[in-house]
Each structure stands twice: as structure tokens, then as C-alpha cells.
Amino acid sequence: VDSSDGVDTITSEEKKKATYDDSLEYVSSYQVGYMRAFLEQIVGNWYDLVPRFSSSVFLTRESGAFGIIASLSDASKGVCYFYQTANQDLMEKPNAATSEIASHTGTLGSLKADATYGYVWFDPVEGKTVENGTFRTGADGKHEIGPKLDKDMVYYFYLIG
């Protein structure tokens, strides 16, 4: 199957002939399960998150970063998915050309000013939490996320107080 972005193109004959049951054993099917469990068990009301596809009000990406954010309307909770790929032809911006670019993320905006938030870095490929902690926003309601690991990573943030 060819697509306009090339991401879901299946090229090997073996995979073209695979059945649905075969596909359940692909690594990617396990990764979908990891992400589902994270959203249900850690995020909770993930279904209330609103995708902010091209809004830089909620997430301003650094040069080379490729990601998407979904958050509650009041920005008290949100999830950022930062992609990793070695194929720059698939990206809207160059990504993964070097390890320094591959770690780029961005700055969250529209957060509650002068507030404390918790965060979790989640690895959707391995299905485990990599880091968690807290941060404090300034008077402008922004927070610079900082570097991520050199792979797909999820950044979950939530208002503490």
C-alpha cells in the first residue's frame, strides 16, 4: 500500500502477504498496546484531550522537532508525542539527521501562570516510563520541555497546583 507520506508503505513480499493474525505479532502492534495502556492508566481521561495539530499557542516546536500535542481546553493536562525517524523525506522539518537534532522538542504555552505541573517521559517503543518530575511555569504560562531521548517519546504533563 502506498501513501502520500510513505510512512505506511509496505515493501517486503512477506509483509504484503501477511494475514491479520500475522500482523498482531509485529513489534508495532505491541507498541500500540503500550500507548493504549499509558493513556488509560496514567493519563486517565485521554478522550477529553483536544488535538492541537498546527497550533503554536500550545506547543512551539524547536527547529528539527516533529511532534503533536493534545491537551484539555484549560491546558491542565496534555500529551505531546515526539516522533523519531531516520527518513527526512517523511518529515515536515528535518529530524534525526544528527543526535543533537533528534533530541529537540519545544516549548509548551497556554499553561496556568506561576503553577506547578508534573510530567512523565514515556517510551512508547519499550512501554516504560523513562523519567518523571515537576516543573514550574513562569508568569507567561510557558515551559521549555528540554531534550528527549533519540527515539519516539511521549511527554505527559498535568497541573498539580
Side-chain angles (χ1 to χ4, degrees):
V1 176
D2 287 331
S3 67
S4 62
D5 62 7
V7 174
D8 58 358
T9 301
I10 297 174
T11 56
S12 74
E13 287 303 315
E14 178 185 0
K15 287 187 177 181
K16 287 180 182 179
K17 294 178 183 176
T19 66
Y20 172 77
D21 289 335
D22 293 335
S23 69
L24 293 177
E25 294 303 317
Y26 289 164
V27 173
S28 58
S29 69
Y30 290 102
Q31 293 169 356
V32 169
Y34 299 150
M35 194 65 206
R36 177 182 177 183
F38 176 77
L39 290 170
E40 290 177 347
Q41 296 168 14
I42 305 300
V43 177
N45 61 334
W46 61 269
Y47 41 80
D48 290 331
L49 301 177
V50 178
R52 317 289 183 181
F53 294 109
S54 60
S55 174
S56 61
V57 172
F58 295 93
L59 175 64
T60 303
R61 292 176 292 170
E62 295 174 4
S63 176
F66 184 68
I68 187 79
I69 184 172
S71 63
L72 294 179
S73 297
D74 64 359
S76 60
K77 179 186 283 193
V79 174
C80 302
Y81 194 108
F82 292 101
Y83 299 92
Q84 178 65 32
T85 182
N87 186 345
Q88 292 185 16
D89 294 335
L90 304 180
M91 309 279 59
E92 64 180 340
K93 294 182 177 182
N95 193 33
T98 66
S99 59
E100 90 180 39
I101 291 175
S103 67
H104 286 189
T105 57
T107 301
L108 297 173
S110 295
L111 301 175
K112 184 175 178 182
D114 299 313
T116 301
Y117 281 79
Y119 73 87
V120 175
W121 272 114
F122 179 73
D123 177 348
V125 176
E126 301 291 328
K128 57 187 172 187
T129 297
V130 175
E131 178 184 332
N132 56 43
T134 61
F135 65 86
R136 186 141 181 92
T137 59
D140 61 358
K142 293 184 177 183
H143 168 67
E144 186 176 325
I145 297 172
K148 69 175 186 66
L149 294 178
D150 192 4
K151 59 183 353 184
D152 278 18
M153 290 295 293
V154 175
Y155 187 80
Y156 167 56
F157 61 95
Y158 54 94
L159 181 63
I160 295 174

